[in-house]
Amino acid sequence: MIVRDLIKRKPVTAGLNATLSDVAKLMKENDVGSVVITEGNKPVGIITERDLVYAVADGLSPETPVTKVMSYDPVKVRQDEDVSSALSLMVSRNIRHLVVVNDEGDLVGVVSSRDMLKAVGSIALDLAIW
């Protein structure tokens, strides 16, 4: 199984001019745990639910620019990589969201730890049936 097989929806994105409030609304409206920050089709950052929690705990305003909180140069994986190598990358980097790109570096999607768990569970069930 390859990473592209795990992508079930279009990635939720925002531009560099977004605020924490903007990305929180996007997460709520789209029921996602991360928003990829893009310039054109290129992912330049990512902000997650955890980042928002830390920002609130630190007393940042909802109007704080996302650039003050986001992780720059997010961990990326190519869409044609094997799921096992992507999972290994997530575990080794201790991340819950992996940005998926094509050969040109354009954003294709996001794979979450929940997506990975579903894939691993599906593979395990398939093996158990045999």
Side-chain angles (χ1 to χ4, degrees):
M1 179 179 285
I2 59 173
V3 172
R4 177 179 44 242
D5 297 334
L6 302 181
I7 299 171
K8 302 300 182 204
R9 65 167 105 178
K10 184 178 171 187
V12 178
T13 64
L16 288 165
N17 60 342
T19 64
L20 297 181
S21 178
D22 294 334
V23 296
K25 288 175 186 171
L26 284 170
M27 285 181 194
K28 180 181 178 188
E29 291 167 2
N30 292 280
D31 193 28
V32 295
S34 67
V35 173
V36 180
I37 308 305
T38 58
E39 280 188 302
N41 292 328
K42 306 290 186 204
V44 295
I46 189 168
I47 185 161
T48 67
E49 293 166 318
R50 181 181 285 178
D51 296 325
L52 288 177
V53 168
Y54 284 28
V56 169
D58 289 342
L60 295 180
S61 160
E63 296 312 309
T64 299
V66 71
T67 54
K68 300 278 187 196
V69 177
M70 73 181 199
S71 297
Y72 283 85
D73 193 24
V75 178
K76 299 181 244 350
V77 65
R78 286 195 1 236
Q79 65 182 345
D80 58 355
E81 281 204 42
D82 189 77
V83 167
S84 61
S85 64
L87 178 58
S88 178
L89 180 61
M90 291 177 82
V91 170
S92 70
R93 299 293 291 270
N94 195 29
I95 57 174
R96 296 184 207 177
H97 300 90
L98 193 56
V99 174
V100 182
V101 296
N102 62 20
D103 291 335
E104 291 77 37
D106 293 331
L107 179 64
V108 174
V110 175
V111 175
S112 70
S113 54
R114 180 174 290 149
D115 298 327
M116 286 290 184
L117 185 58
K118 287 178 186 175
V120 170
S122 175
I123 292 167
L125 282 175
D126 288 345
L127 291 174
I129 292 172
W130 285 98

